[in-house]
């Protein structure tokens, strides 16, 4: 550990109620909006209260002689993490995936505000365990998984990291055209895009794709592997559907050359606003990233 005292960074996301109030202005208008759609305002309000109470409790649990910072998911791309940070993700599993690409080895403690509010795969810890987890993380006496991530690198340009999966295709999910190179083979395809999943992502979007296509892949969350799937590739006189899926390993990267005239994108972990452009002529190399997410497990 660094000789510097730790800084705890509490990462949260906007609640449903906060987003609705920002859109509709008043509580009464939100109630009307929800009731007109058969939804119950009190349920949204309860989830908001649980989240706010959890945030207030988590702040009190930070040792008084440590530094503290708080950031919402929407501001992560403008937030500067420090090497001595201990990151607390307070919310649902997706929050951990959203912040992973901004980190460089800092430990992440995933805390769920309520067992009713998510699966708890990446946020398995109860709030009451946070003081002990912080002390042990600060002392370097903690077990953490080094979860593999996948990286998209545009030739001569930017890169994008993902903990769960990358999407490569058209921003509207309409037909995407590209040339795929993998395992010494190449194929021109027209499909609704590609998904590249890590071991962590196999329980998410990739799981539904495997159920629909009967393509089966299984590997651990720390293994340096990823898998790609092409979504509904269309066989025609000019396009093929032979390379539907494949295992990406350290010696088997994936390359994709865009033939999308306009609207081609690559985004990570469901965040469509943070993307790489992938229009005609752009080439992306997709491989297992050197970076790992250090997820505290005990």
């Amino acid at each position: 550990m660094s000789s510097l005292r730790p800084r705890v960074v509490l990462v949260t996301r906007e609640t449903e109620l906060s987003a609705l109030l920002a859109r509709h202005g008043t509580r009464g208008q939100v109630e009307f909006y929800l009731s007109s759609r058969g939804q119950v305002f009190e349920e949204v309000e309860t989830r908001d209260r649980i989240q706010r109470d959890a945030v207030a409790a988590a702040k009190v649990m930070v040792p008084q002689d440590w530094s503290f910072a708080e950031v919402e998911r929407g501001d992560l791309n403008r937030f500067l993490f420090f090497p001595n940070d201990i990151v607390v993700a307070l919310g649902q599993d997706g929050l951990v995936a959203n912040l992973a690409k901004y980190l460089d080895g800092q430990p992440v403690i995933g805390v769920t505000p309520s067992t009713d509010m998510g699966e708890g795969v990446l946020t398995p810890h109860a709030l009451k365990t946070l003081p002990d987890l912080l002390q042990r993380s600060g002392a370097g006496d903690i077990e953490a998984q080094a979860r593999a991530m996948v990286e998209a690198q545009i030739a001569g340009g930017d890169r994008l990291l993902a903990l769960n999966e990358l999407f490569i295709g058209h921003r509207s999910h309409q037909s995407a055209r590209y040339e795929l190179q993998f395992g010494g083979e190449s194929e021109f395809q027209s499909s609704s895009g590609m998904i590249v999943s890590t071991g962590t992502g196999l329980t998410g979007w990739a799981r539904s794709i495997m159920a629909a296509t009967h393509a089966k892949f299984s590997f651990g969350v720390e293994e340096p592997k990823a898998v790609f799937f092409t979504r509904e590739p269309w066989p025609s006189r000019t396009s093929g559907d032979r390379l539907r899926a494949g295992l990406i390993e350290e010696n088997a990267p994936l390359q994709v050359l865009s033939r999308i005239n306009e609207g081609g994108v690559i985004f990570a972990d469901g965040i469509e606003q943070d993307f790489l452009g992938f229009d005609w002529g752009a080439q992306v190399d997709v491989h297992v990233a050197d970076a790992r997410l250090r997820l505290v497990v005990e």
Side-chain angles (χ1 to χ4, degrees), residues 122-208:
L122 300 177
T123 55
H125 302 292
L127 186 60
K128 65 182 180 181
T129 67
L130 184 56
D132 178 63
L133 291 171
L134 287 174
Q135 290 290 351
R136 292 170 56 200
S137 296
D141 181 25
I142 203 76
E143 181 180 347
Q145 291 176 334
R147 291 201 172 218
M149 302 177 69
V150 66
E151 180 177 46
Q153 175 73 58
I154 296 289
D158 296 327
R159 68 187 185 111
L160 188 64
L161 291 169
L163 177 65
N164 282 327
E165 70 272 318
L166 293 165
F167 171 79
I168 304 171
H170 195 278
R171 64 187 172 207
S172 67
H173 296 264
Q174 67 186 44
S175 180
R177 300 163 70 86
Y178 52 84
E179 295 177 25
L180 177 65
Q181 295 185 14
F182 180 76
E185 300 184 64
S186 63
E187 184 173 58
F188 178 81
Q189 292 187 347
S190 178
S191 77
S192 55
M194 300 178 61
I195 299 298
V196 183
S197 174
T198 64
T200 298
L202 288 181
T203 61
W205 197 350
R207 182 179 180 180
S208 64

Coordinates of all heavy atoms in Angstrom, one line a residue, residues 122-208:
L122 N -21.8 -8.4 -8.6 CA -20.7 -7.4 -8.5 C -20.8 -6.5 -7.3 O -19.8 -5.9 -7.0 CB -20.5 -6.6 -9.8 CG -20.3 -7.4 -11.1 CD1 -20.3 -6.4 -12.3 CD2 -19.0 -8.2 -11.1
T123 N -21.9 -6.5 -6.7 CA -22.2 -5.7 -5.5 C -22.7 -6.7 -4.4 O -23.8 -6.6 -3.9 CB -23.2 -4.6 -5.7 OG1 -24.4 -5.1 -6.2 CG2 -22.6 -3.6 -6.7
P124 N -21.8 -7.6 -3.9 CA -22.3 -8.7 -3.0 C -22.3 -8.3 -1.6 O -22.9 -9.0 -0.8 CB -21.3 -9.8 -3.3 CG -20.0 -9.0 -3.6 CD -20.4 -7.8 -4.4
H125 N -21.7 -7.2 -1.2 CA -21.5 -6.9 0.2 C -22.7 -6.1 0.8 O -23.2 -5.1 0.2 CB -20.2 -6.1 0.4 CG -19.0 -6.8 -0.1 ND1 -18.5 -8.0 0.5 CD2 -18.2 -6.6 -1.2 CE1 -17.4 -8.4 -0.2 NE2 -17.2 -7.5 -1.2
A126 N -23.0 -6.4 2.0 CA -24.0 -5.7 2.8 C -23.4 -4.4 3.3 O -22.2 -4.4 3.6 CB -24.6 -6.5 3.9
L127 N -24.2 -3.4 3.5 CA -23.7 -2.1 4.0 C -23.0 -2.2 5.3 O -22.0 -1.6 5.6 CB -24.8 -1.1 4.0 CG -24.4 0.3 4.4 CD1 -23.5 0.9 3.4 CD2 -25.7 1.2 4.5
K128 N -23.5 -3.1 6.2 CA -22.9 -3.2 7.5 C -21.5 -3.8 7.5 O -20.8 -3.6 8.5 CB -23.8 -4.1 8.4 CG -23.9 -5.6 7.9 CD -24.8 -6.4 8.8 CE -24.9 -7.8 8.3 NZ -25.8 -8.7 9.1
T129 N -21.1 -4.4 6.5 CA -19.7 -4.9 6.4 C -18.7 -3.9 5.9 O -17.5 -4.2 5.9 CB -19.7 -6.2 5.5 OG1 -19.9 -5.7 4.1 CG2 -20.7 -7.2 5.9
L130 N -19.2 -2.7 5.5 CA -18.3 -1.7 4.8 C -17.2 -1.3 5.7 O -16.0 -1.2 5.3 CB -19.1 -0.6 4.3 CG -18.3 0.5 3.5 CD1 -17.6 -0.1 2.4 CD2 -19.3 1.6 3.1
P131 N -17.4 -0.9 7.0 CA -16.3 -0.5 7.9 C -15.1 -1.5 7.9 O -13.9 -1.1 7.8 CB -16.9 -0.3 9.2 CG -18.4 0.0 9.0 CD -18.7 -0.9 7.8
D132 N -15.4 -2.7 8.1 CA -14.3 -3.7 8.1 C -13.6 -3.9 6.8 O -12.4 -4.0 6.7 CB -14.9 -5.1 8.5 CG -13.9 -6.2 8.6 OD1 -12.9 -6.1 9.4 OD2 -14.0 -7.2 7.8
L133 N -14.4 -3.8 5.7 CA -13.8 -4.0 4.4 C -12.9 -2.8 4.1 O -11.9 -2.9 3.4 CB -14.9 -4.1 3.3 CG -15.7 -5.4 3.3 CD1 -16.9 -5.3 2.4 CD2 -14.8 -6.6 3.0
L134 N -13.3 -1.6 4.5 CA -12.5 -0.4 4.3 C -11.2 -0.5 5.0 O -10.1 -0.2 4.5 CB -13.2 0.9 4.7 CG -14.4 1.3 3.8 CD1 -15.1 2.5 4.4 CD2 -13.9 1.7 2.4
Q135 N -11.2 -0.9 6.3 CA -10.0 -1.0 7.1 C -9.1 -2.0 6.5 O -7.9 -1.8 6.4 CB -10.4 -1.4 8.6 CG -11.1 -0.2 9.3 CD -10.1 0.9 9.6 OE1 -8.9 0.9 9.4 NE2 -10.7 2.0 10.1
R136 N -9.6 -3.2 6.1 CA -8.8 -4.2 5.6 C -8.2 -3.8 4.2 O -7.1 -4.2 3.9 CB -9.5 -5.5 5.5 CG -9.9 -6.1 6.9 CD -10.8 -7.2 6.9 NE -10.3 -8.3 6.0 CZ -11.1 -9.2 5.4 NH1 -12.4 -9.2 5.6 NH2 -10.6 -10.1 4.7
S137 N -9.0 -3.1 3.4 CA -8.5 -2.7 2.1 C -7.4 -1.7 2.3 O -6.4 -1.7 1.6 CB -9.6 -2.1 1.3 OG -10.6 -3.0 1.0
G138 N -7.6 -0.8 3.3 CA -6.5 0.2 3.6 C -5.2 -0.4 4.0 O -4.1 0.1 3.8
A139 N -5.3 -1.5 4.7 CA -4.1 -2.2 5.2 C -3.6 -3.2 4.2 O -2.5 -3.8 4.4 CB -4.5 -3.0 6.5
G140 N -4.3 -3.3 3.1 CA -3.8 -4.3 2.0 C -4.1 -5.7 2.4 O -3.5 -6.7 1.8
D141 N -5.0 -5.9 3.4 CA -5.3 -7.3 3.9 C -6.6 -7.7 3.4 O -7.6 -7.9 4.2 CB -5.2 -7.3 5.4 CG -5.5 -8.6 6.0 OD1 -5.3 -9.7 5.3 OD2 -6.0 -8.7 7.2
I142 N -6.8 -7.8 2.1 CA -8.1 -8.1 1.5 C -7.9 -9.0 0.3 O -6.8 -9.0 -0.4 CB -8.8 -6.8 1.0 CG1 -10.3 -7.0 1.0 CG2 -8.2 -6.3 -0.3 CD1 -10.9 -7.0 2.3
E143 N -8.9 -9.9 0.0 CA -8.8 -10.7 -1.1 C -9.6 -10.1 -2.2 O -10.8 -9.6 -2.0 CB -9.4 -12.1 -0.8 CG -9.4 -13.1 -2.0 CD -10.0 -14.4 -1.7 OE1 -10.2 -14.7 -0.5 OE2 -10.3 -15.2 -2.7
A144 N -9.1 -10.0 -3.4 CA -9.7 -9.4 -4.6 C -9.6 -10.3 -5.8 O -8.5 -10.8 -6.0 CB -9.2 -8.0 -4.8
Q145 N -10.6 -10.3 -6.6 CA -10.6 -11.0 -7.9 C -10.0 -10.0 -8.9 O -10.3 -8.8 -8.9 CB -12.0 -11.4 -8.4 CG -12.6 -12.5 -7.6 CD -14.0 -12.8 -8.1 OE1 -14.7 -11.9 -8.6 NE2 -14.5 -14.0 -7.9
A146 N -9.1 -10.6 -9.8 CA -8.6 -9.8 -10.9 C -9.4 -10.1 -12.1 O -9.1 -11.0 -12.9 CB -7.1 -10.1 -11.1
R147 N -10.6 -9.4 -12.2 CA -11.5 -9.8 -13.3 C -11.0 -9.3 -14.7 O -10.6 -8.1 -14.8 CB -12.9 -9.2 -13.0 CG -13.6 -9.9 -11.8 CD -15.0 -9.7 -11.9 NE -15.7 -10.5 -10.9 CZ -16.9 -11.2 -11.0 NH1 -17.5 -11.1 -12.2 NH2 -17.4 -11.9 -10.1
A148 N -11.0 -10.2 -15.6 CA -10.5 -9.8 -17.0 C -11.5 -8.8 -17.6 O -12.7 -8.8 -17.4 CB -10.4 -11.1 -17.8
M149 N -10.9 -8.0 -18.5 CA -11.6 -7.0 -19.3 C -11.2 -7.2 -20.7 O -10.2 -7.8 -21.1 CB -11.3 -5.6 -18.8 CG -11.6 -5.4 -17.3 SD -11.2 -3.7 -16.7 CE -12.4 -2.7 -17.6
V150 N -12.0 -6.6 -21.6 CA -11.8 -6.7 -23.0 C -11.6 -5.3 -23.5 O -12.2 -4.3 -23.0 CB -13.0 -7.4 -23.8 CG1 -14.2 -6.6 -23.7 CG2 -12.6 -7.7 -25.2
E151 N -10.7 -5.2 -24.6 CA -10.3 -3.8 -25.1 C -10.6 -3.8 -26.6 O -10.2 -4.7 -27.3 CB -8.9 -3.6 -24.8 CG -8.4 -2.2 -25.3 CD -6.9 -2.0 -24.9 OE1 -6.1 -2.9 -25.0 OE2 -6.7 -0.8 -24.4
A152 N -11.1 -2.7 -27.0 CA -11.2 -2.4 -28.4 C -10.3 -1.2 -28.8 O -10.3 -0.2 -28.1 CB -12.7 -1.9 -28.8
Q153 N -9.4 -1.5 -29.7 CA -8.4 -0.5 -30.1 C -8.5 -0.1 -31.6 O -8.3 -1.0 -32.4 CB -7.0 -1.0 -29.9 CG -5.8 -0.1 -30.3 CD -5.6 1.1 -29.4 OE1 -5.4 0.9 -28.2 NE2 -5.7 2.3 -30.0
I154 N -8.9 1.1 -31.8 CA -9.1 1.6 -33.2 C -7.7 1.8 -33.7 O -6.8 2.4 -33.1 CB -9.9 2.9 -33.3 CG1 -11.3 2.7 -32.8 CG2 -9.9 3.5 -34.7 CD1 -12.2 1.8 -33.7
A155 N -7.4 1.4 -35.0 CA -6.1 1.5 -35.6 C -5.8 3.0 -35.7 O -6.5 3.8 -36.3 CB -6.1 0.9 -37.0
G156 N -4.7 3.4 -35.0 CA -4.2 4.8 -35.0 C -5.0 5.7 -34.2 O -4.9 6.9 -34.4
G157 N -5.9 5.2 -33.3 CA -6.8 6.0 -32.6 C -7.1 5.6 -31.2 O -6.1 5.1 -30.5
D158 N -8.3 5.8 -30.7 CA -8.6 5.6 -29.3 C -8.9 4.1 -29.0 O -9.0 3.3 -29.8 CB -9.9 6.4 -29.0 CG -9.6 7.9 -29.1 OD1 -8.5 8.3 -28.9 OD2 -10.6 8.6 -29.5
R159 N -9.1 3.9 -27.7 CA -9.4 2.6 -27.2 C -10.5 2.7 -26.2 O -10.8 3.7 -25.6 CB -8.2 1.9 -26.5 CG -7.8 2.6 -25.2 CD -6.5 2.0 -24.7 NE -6.1 2.6 -23.3 CZ -6.2 1.9 -22.2 NH1 -6.5 0.6 -22.2 NH2 -5.9 2.4 -21.1
L160 N -11.2 1.5 -26.0 CA -12.3 1.4 -25.1 C -12.2 0.1 -24.3 O -12.0 -0.9 -24.9 CB -13.6 1.6 -25.8 CG -14.9 1.7 -25.0 CD1 -14.9 3.0 -24.2 CD2 -16.1 1.7 -26.0
L161 N -12.4 0.2 -23.0 CA -12.4 -1.0 -22.2 C -13.8 -1.4 -21.7 O -14.7 -0.5 -21.6 CB -11.6 -0.8 -20.9 CG -10.0 -0.6 -21.1 CD1 -9.4 -0.1 -19.8 CD2 -9.4 -2.0 -21.5
A162 N -14.0 -2.7 -21.5 CA -15.3 -3.2 -21.0 C -15.1 -4.3 -20.0 O -14.2 -5.2 -20.2 CB -16.2 -3.7 -22.2
L163 N -15.9 -4.3 -19.0 CA -15.9 -5.4 -18.0 C -16.8 -6.5 -18.4 O -16.5 -7.7 -18.3 CB -16.3 -4.9 -16.6 CG -16.3 -6.0 -15.5 CD1 -15.0 -6.6 -15.3 CD2 -16.9 -5.4 -14.3
N164 N -18.0 -6.2 -18.9 CA -19.0 -7.1 -19.4 C -18.9 -7.5 -20.8 O -18.6 -8.6 -21.2 CB -20.4 -6.7 -19.0 CG -20.8 -6.8 -17.6 OD1 -20.3 -7.8 -16.9 ND2 -21.6 -5.9 -17.1
E165 N -19.2 -6.4 -21.7 CA -19.2 -6.7 -23.1 C -19.0 -5.4 -23.9 O -19.3 -4.3 -23.4 CB -20.4 -7.4 -23.6 CG -21.7 -6.6 -23.5 CD -22.4 -6.6 -22.2 OE1 -22.5 -7.7 -21.6 OE2 -22.9 -5.6 -21.7
L166 N -18.5 -5.6 -25.1 CA -18.5 -4.5 -26.1 C -19.6 -4.8 -27.1 O -19.9 -5.9 -27.5 CB -17.2 -4.5 -26.9 CG -15.9 -4.1 -26.1 CD1 -14.7 -4.6 -26.9 CD2 -15.9 -2.6 -25.8
F167 N -20.2 -3.7 -27.6 CA -21.1 -3.8 -28.8 C -20.4 -3.1 -30.0 O -19.9 -2.0 -29.8 CB -22.4 -3.1 -28.5 CG -23.3 -3.0 -29.8 CD1 -24.0 -4.1 -30.2 CD2 -23.3 -1.8 -30.5 CE1 -24.8 -4.0 -31.4 CE2 -24.1 -1.7 -31.6 CZ -24.8 -2.8 -32.1
I168 N -20.4 -3.8 -31.1 CA -19.8 -3.2 -32.4 C -20.9 -3.3 -33.4 O -21.4 -4.4 -33.7 CB -18.6 -4.0 -32.8 CG1 -17.5 -4.1 -31.7 CG2 -18.0 -3.4 -34.1 CD1 -16.4 -5.1 -32.0
G169 N -21.3 -2.1 -33.9 CA -22.3 -2.1 -34.9 C -22.9 -0.8 -35.2 O -22.1 0.2 -35.1
H170 N -24.1 -0.7 -35.6 CA -24.8 0.6 -35.9 C -25.4 1.1 -34.7 O -26.0 0.4 -33.9 CB -25.8 0.5 -37.0 CG -26.2 1.8 -37.6 ND1 -27.2 2.6 -37.0 CD2 -25.8 2.4 -38.7 CE1 -27.3 3.6 -37.8 NE2 -26.5 3.6 -38.8
R171 N -25.4 2.4 -34.4 CA -25.9 3.0 -33.2 C -27.4 2.8 -33.0 O -27.9 2.8 -31.9 CB -25.6 4.5 -33.1 CG -26.3 5.4 -34.2 CD -25.8 6.8 -34.2 NE -26.3 7.6 -35.3 CZ -25.6 8.6 -35.8 NH1 -24.5 9.0 -35.3 NH2 -26.1 9.3 -36.8
S172 N -28.1 2.6 -34.1 CA -29.6 2.3 -34.0 C -29.9 0.8 -34.0 O -31.0 0.4 -34.0 CB -30.3 3.0 -35.2 OG -29.9 2.4 -36.4
H173 N -28.8 0.0 -34.0 CA -28.9 -1.5 -34.1 C -29.5 -2.0 -35.4 O -30.0 -3.1 -35.4 CB -29.7 -2.0 -32.8 CG -29.1 -1.7 -31.5 ND1 -28.3 -2.7 -30.9 CD2 -29.1 -0.6 -30.8 CE1 -27.8 -2.1 -29.8 NE2 -28.3 -0.9 -29.7
Q174 N -29.5 -1.1 -36.4 CA -30.0 -1.6 -37.7 C -28.8 -2.4 -38.3 O -27.8 -2.6 -37.7 CB -30.4 -0.4 -38.6 CG -29.2 0.5 -39.0 CD -29.7 1.7 -39.8 OE1 -30.7 2.4 -39.4 NE2 -29.0 2.1 -40.8
S175 N -29.0 -2.8 -39.6 CA -28.0 -3.7 -40.2 C -26.6 -3.0 -40.2 O -26.5 -1.8 -40.6 CB -28.4 -4.0 -41.6 OG -27.5 -4.8 -42.2
A176 N -25.6 -3.7 -39.8 CA -24.2 -3.3 -39.9 C -23.4 -4.2 -40.8 O -23.6 -5.4 -40.8 CB -23.6 -3.3 -38.4
R177 N -22.6 -3.5 -41.6 CA -21.8 -4.3 -42.6 C -20.3 -4.1 -42.2 O -19.8 -3.0 -42.0 CB -22.1 -3.7 -44.0 CG -23.5 -3.9 -44.4 CD -23.9 -3.0 -45.6 NE -23.3 -3.5 -46.8 CZ -23.8 -4.5 -47.6 NH1 -25.0 -5.1 -47.3 NH2 -23.2 -4.8 -48.7
Y178 N -19.6 -5.2 -42.3 CA -18.2 -5.2 -41.8 C -17.5 -6.4 -42.3 O -18.1 -7.4 -42.8 CB -18.1 -5.2 -40.3 CG -18.9 -6.2 -39.6 CD1 -18.4 -7.5 -39.5 CD2 -20.2 -6.0 -39.2 CE1 -19.2 -8.5 -38.9 CE2 -21.0 -7.0 -38.7 CZ -20.5 -8.2 -38.5 OH -21.3 -9.3 -38.0
E179 N -16.1 -6.4 -42.3 CA -15.3 -7.5 -42.6 C -14.7 -8.0 -41.4 O -14.0 -7.3 -40.6 CB -14.2 -7.1 -43.6 CG -14.8 -6.7 -45.0 CD -13.7 -6.2 -46.0 OE1 -12.5 -6.7 -45.8 OE2 -14.0 -5.4 -46.9
L180 N -14.9 -9.3 -41.1 CA -14.4 -9.9 -39.9 C -13.2 -10.8 -40.2 O -13.2 -11.6 -41.1 CB -15.6 -10.8 -39.3 CG -15.4 -11.6 -38.1 CD1 -15.1 -10.8 -36.9 CD2 -16.7 -12.5 -37.9
Q181 N -12.2 -10.7 -39.3 CA -11.0 -11.5 -39.5 C -10.7 -12.2 -38.1 O -10.6 -11.5 -37.1 CB -9.8 -10.7 -39.9 CG -9.9 -10.1 -41.3 CD -8.6 -9.4 -41.7 OE1 -7.6 -9.5 -41.1 NE2 -8.7 -8.6 -42.7
F182 N -10.7 -13.5 -38.1 CA -10.5 -14.3 -36.9 C -10.0 -15.7 -37.2 O -10.5 -16.3 -38.1 CB -11.8 -14.4 -36.1 CG -11.7 -15.1 -34.8 CD1 -11.1 -14.5 -33.7 CD2 -12.1 -16.4 -34.7 CE1 -10.9 -15.2 -32.5 CE2 -12.0 -17.1 -33.5 CZ -11.4 -16.5 -32.4
G183 N -8.9 -16.1 -36.4 CA -8.4 -17.4 -36.6 C -7.9 -17.8 -38.0 O -8.0 -18.9 -38.4
G184 N -7.3 -16.8 -38.7 CA -6.8 -17.0 -40.0 C -7.9 -17.0 -41.1 O -7.6 -17.3 -42.2
E185 N -9.1 -16.7 -40.7 CA -10.2 -16.7 -41.7 C -10.8 -15.3 -41.7 O -10.7 -14.5 -40.8 CB -11.3 -17.7 -41.3 CG -10.9 -19.1 -41.3 CD -12.0 -20.1 -41.0 OE1 -13.0 -20.1 -41.8 OE2 -12.0 -20.7 -39.9
S186 N -11.5 -15.0 -42.8 CA -12.1 -13.7 -43.0 C -13.5 -13.9 -43.6 O -13.7 -14.8 -44.4 CB -11.2 -12.7 -43.8 OG -11.1 -13.2 -45.1
E187 N -14.4 -12.9 -43.4 CA -15.7 -13.0 -43.9 C -16.4 -11.6 -43.9 O -16.2 -10.9 -42.9 CB -16.6 -14.0 -43.1 CG -17.9 -14.2 -43.7 CD -18.7 -15.4 -42.9 OE1 -18.9 -15.2 -41.7 OE2 -19.0 -16.4 -43.6
F188 N -17.0 -11.3 -45.0 CA -17.9 -10.1 -45.0 C -19.2 -10.5 -44.5 O -19.8 -11.5 -44.9 CB -18.0 -9.6 -46.4 CG -18.8 -8.3 -46.5 CD1 -18.3 -7.1 -46.2 CD2 -20.2 -8.4 -46.9 CE1 -19.1 -6.0 -46.3 CE2 -21.0 -7.3 -47.0 CZ -20.5 -6.1 -46.7
Q189 N -19.7 -9.7 -43.5 CA -21.0 -10.0 -42.9 C -21.9 -8.7 -42.9 O -21.4 -7.6 -42.9 CB -20.8 -10.4 -41.5 CG -20.2 -11.8 -41.3 CD -20.1 -12.3 -39.9 OE1 -20.4 -11.6 -39.0 NE2 -19.8 -13.6 -39.7
S190 N -23.2 -9.0 -42.9 CA -24.2 -8.0 -42.6 C -25.1 -8.5 -41.5 O -25.7 -9.6 -41.7 CB -25.1 -7.8 -43.9 OG -26.1 -6.8 -43.6
S191 N -25.1 -7.9 -40.4 CA -25.8 -8.4 -39.2 C -26.3 -7.2 -38.4 O -26.1 -6.0 -38.7 CB -24.8 -9.2 -38.3 OG -23.9 -8.4 -37.6
S192 N -26.9 -7.5 -37.2 CA -27.4 -6.4 -36.3 C -26.3 -6.1 -35.3 O -26.6 -5.6 -34.3 CB -28.7 -6.8 -35.7 OG -28.6 -8.1 -35.0
G193 N -25.1 -6.4 -35.7 CA -24.0 -6.0 -34.8 C -23.3 -7.2 -34.1 O -23.7 -8.4 -34.3
M194 N -22.2 -6.9 -33.4 CA -21.5 -8.0 -32.7 C -21.4 -7.6 -31.2 O -21.4 -6.5 -30.8 CB -20.0 -8.0 -33.3 CG -19.9 -8.3 -34.7 SD -18.2 -8.3 -35.3 CE -17.5 -9.6 -34.2
I195 N -21.3 -8.7 -30.4 CA -21.1 -8.6 -29.0 C -19.8 -9.3 -28.7 O -19.6 -10.4 -29.2 CB -22.3 -9.3 -28.2 CG1 -23.6 -8.6 -28.5 CG2 -22.0 -9.2 -26.7 CD1 -23.6 -7.1 -28.1
V196 N -19.0 -8.7 -27.9 CA -17.7 -9.4 -27.4 C -17.8 -9.4 -25.9 O -17.9 -8.3 -25.2 CB -16.5 -8.6 -27.9 CG1 -15.2 -9.4 -27.4 CG2 -16.5 -8.5 -29.4
S197 N -17.8 -10.6 -25.3 CA -18.1 -10.7 -23.9 C -16.9 -11.3 -23.1 O -16.2 -12.2 -23.6 CB -19.3 -11.6 -23.7 OG -19.5 -11.9 -22.3
T198 N -16.7 -10.8 -21.9 CA -15.7 -11.4 -21.0 C -16.4 -12.5 -20.2 O -17.6 -12.8 -20.3 CB -15.2 -10.4 -20.0 OG1 -16.4 -9.9 -19.2 CG2 -14.7 -9.2 -20.7
G199 N -15.6 -13.2 -19.3 CA -16.2 -14.2 -18.4 C -17.3 -13.6 -17.5 O -18.3 -14.2 -17.2
T200 N -17.0 -12.3 -17.0 CA -18.1 -11.6 -16.2 C -19.3 -11.4 -17.0 O -20.4 -11.6 -16.5 CB -17.5 -10.2 -15.8 OG1 -16.4 -10.4 -14.9 CG2 -18.6 -9.5 -15.0
G201 N -19.2 -11.1 -18.3 CA -20.4 -10.8 -19.1 C -21.1 -12.0 -19.6 O -22.3 -11.9 -20.1
L202 N -20.6 -13.2 -19.4 CA -21.3 -14.4 -19.8 C -22.6 -14.6 -19.0 O -23.5 -15.4 -19.5 CB -20.4 -15.6 -19.6 CG -19.3 -15.8 -20.6 CD1 -18.5 -17.1 -20.3 CD2 -19.8 -15.8 -22.0
T203 N -22.8 -13.9 -17.9 CA -24.1 -14.0 -17.2 C -25.1 -13.0 -17.6 O -26.2 -12.9 -17.1 CB -23.8 -13.9 -15.6 OG1 -23.2 -12.6 -15.4 CG2 -22.9 -15.0 -15.2
G204 N -24.7 -12.1 -18.5 CA -25.6 -11.0 -19.0 C -26.1 -11.2 -20.4 O -26.7 -12.2 -20.7
W205 N -25.8 -10.2 -21.2 CA -26.2 -10.2 -22.6 C -25.8 -11.4 -23.3 O -26.6 -12.0 -24.1 CB -25.7 -8.9 -23.3 CG -26.3 -8.5 -24.6 CD1 -27.3 -9.2 -25.3 CD2 -26.1 -7.3 -25.3 NE1 -27.7 -8.5 -26.4 CE2 -27.0 -7.3 -26.4 CE3 -25.3 -6.2 -25.1 CZ2 -27.0 -6.3 -27.3 CZ3 -25.3 -5.1 -26.0 CH2 -26.2 -5.2 -27.1
A206 N -24.6 -11.9 -23.1 CA -24.1 -13.1 -23.8 C -24.9 -14.3 -23.5 O -25.1 -15.2 -24.3 CB -22.6 -13.3 -23.5
R207 N -25.4 -14.3 -22.2 CA -26.2 -15.5 -21.8 C -27.4 -15.7 -22.7 O -27.8 -16.8 -23.1 CB -26.5 -15.3 -20.3 CG -27.3 -16.5 -19.8 CD -27.6 -16.3 -18.3 NE -28.3 -17.4 -17.7 CZ -28.7 -17.5 -16.4 NH1 -28.4 -16.5 -15.6 NH2 -29.4 -18.5 -16.0
S208 N -28.1 -14.5 -22.9 CA -29.3 -14.6 -23.7 C -29.0 -15.0 -25.2 O -29.8 -15.7 -25.8 CB -30.1 -13.3 -23.7 OG -29.3 -12.2 -24.2

